[in-house]
Amino acid sequence: MTTFNLQLTSDEEQISVLQLTDSHLFAEESGTLLGVRTADSFTAVLESIINQDIHFDFVVVTGDISQDYSVSSYQRFAQYIATLQKPVFFVPGNHDDGPLMYRILGDFGVHTERSLVCGNWHFVFLNSEVYSVPHGWVERDQLAFLKKQCELYPHLNTVVLVHHLPQLVNSSWLDTQTMHNSDEFNSFISNFSNIKLVLSGHVHQEYDQFFNGVRYIATPSTSIQFEPFSHDFALDMQGPGWRYLRFDRSGGIDTQVFRLPSGRFIPDTGVGGY
Ligand SMILES: [Fe+2]
């Protein structure tokens, strides 16, 4: 498995990265998730990013690109995201078909490498998907890959990207769908002092906490949002979102969440599940 080396275009002090997550696209452009046309909310997010003229070096997509495992959902994702005109990297989510997405997205110019070096930062892309069930699990081969990567680049600050946030969010229904071997995962990464950040999706809400010196971040979805701290399934009325991150040479991370204004993509709150 090769590592992609991304050369910065100028002598930048910081690496700027855009995170998009949980687009949940369908085979049909008209497909809806709990009442929201996910293709429309995704393209509206892309439009907003382009209109704001934000500088970023590359894009990371943290899973659940598709909602229906379809070839055309991945093809359209690749067509949409190409409008950003930057390199795109991804990890699979529980709603994705891992082997299919690697094949289709690779054919359409999305990067399929699972290791990226940019400046003095190293990004490692892991698979936590357990096919057709919502919870996650990081297999031993993934942990072995991470270990090998950390050993190859011990002098670089490292970011681990994985769909399932390996922390609970105090939302009972959603916490049953967490990474089920998160204790093993978190204990494993604590062995590597160069791992600074675990960057995830899945929880469809903003999250930013430190545990044992490692920062854990999750980001709002470009489609529907889950109500934070809700015991039962509930939707949040905040607009679709995305995240901007800057990584500086000394190991610092600065980040901000952006959202579309609420009211444009209103989910159906009468639905009792996801
Ligand atoms: Fe999702």
Side-chain angles (χ1 to χ4, degrees), residues 154-176:
H155 54 296
L156 299 183
N157 300 303
T158 299
V159 179
V160 178
L161 297 102
V162 64
H163 176 68
H164 292 84
L165 176 71
Q167 297 291 345
L168 301 179
V169 293
N170 293 318
S171 193
S172 301
W173 75 274
L174 190 51
D175 284 340
T176 65

Side-chain angles (χ1 to χ4, degrees), residues 22 24 63-64 94-95 163 202 204 226 274:
D22 296 88
H24 291 268
D64 281 2
N94 49 291
H95 285 278
H163 176 68
H202 188 61
H204 292 223
F226 299 145
Y274 163 65

Side-chain angles (χ1 to χ4, degrees), residues 49-195:
I49 291 163
I50 291 167
N51 289 341
Q52 288 181 58
D53 205 19
I54 302 168
H55 168 76
F56 50 94
D57 297 299
F58 60 92
V59 182
V60 295
V61 183
T62 42
D64 281 2
I65 288 175
S66 178
Q67 173 67 14
D68 61 6
Y69 307 109
S70 64
V71 169
S72 52
S73 65
Y74 293 120
Q75 287 172 334
R76 278 192 302 97
F77 168 82
Q79 287 163 2
Y80 294 152
I81 203 122
T83 59
L84 295 178
Q85 300 184 313
K86 292 289 181 184
V88 177
F89 299 82
F90 68 94
V91 293
N94 49 291
H95 285 278
D96 288 309
D97 179 330
L100 178 72
M101 76 192 298
Y102 276 96
R103 183 164 57 82
I104 303 295
L105 295 180
D107 285 348
F108 280 78
V110 175
H111 283 269
T112 56
E113 292 92 349
R114 292 164 48 212
S115 168
L116 163 67
V117 169
C118 184
N120 68 343
W121 286 85
H122 179 206
F123 299 81
V124 183
F125 301 84
L126 296 185
N127 186 1
S128 58
E129 177 198 10
V130 184
Y131 190 75
S132 82
V133 298
H135 73 258
W137 187 278
V138 176
E139 297 285 354
R140 292 279 164 85
D141 68 321
Q142 296 291 301
L143 296 178
F145 174 72
L146 176 59
K147 179 172 185 283
K148 191 174 173 193
Q149 288 295 316
C150 288
E151 288 169 353
L152 275 173
Y153 301 101
H155 54 296
L156 299 183
N157 300 303
T158 299
V159 179
V160 178
L161 297 102
V162 64
H163 176 68
H164 292 84
L165 176 71
Q167 297 291 345
L168 301 179
V169 293
N170 293 318
S171 193
S172 301
W173 75 274
L174 190 51
D175 284 340
T176 65
Q177 304 183 8
T178 192
M179 181 193 293
H180 278 187
N181 64 334
S182 59
D183 286 349
E184 178 189 20
F185 178 84
N186 292 329
S187 141
F188 188 86
I189 65 168
S190 71
N191 294 317
F192 304 97
S193 58
N194 54 331
I195 296 179

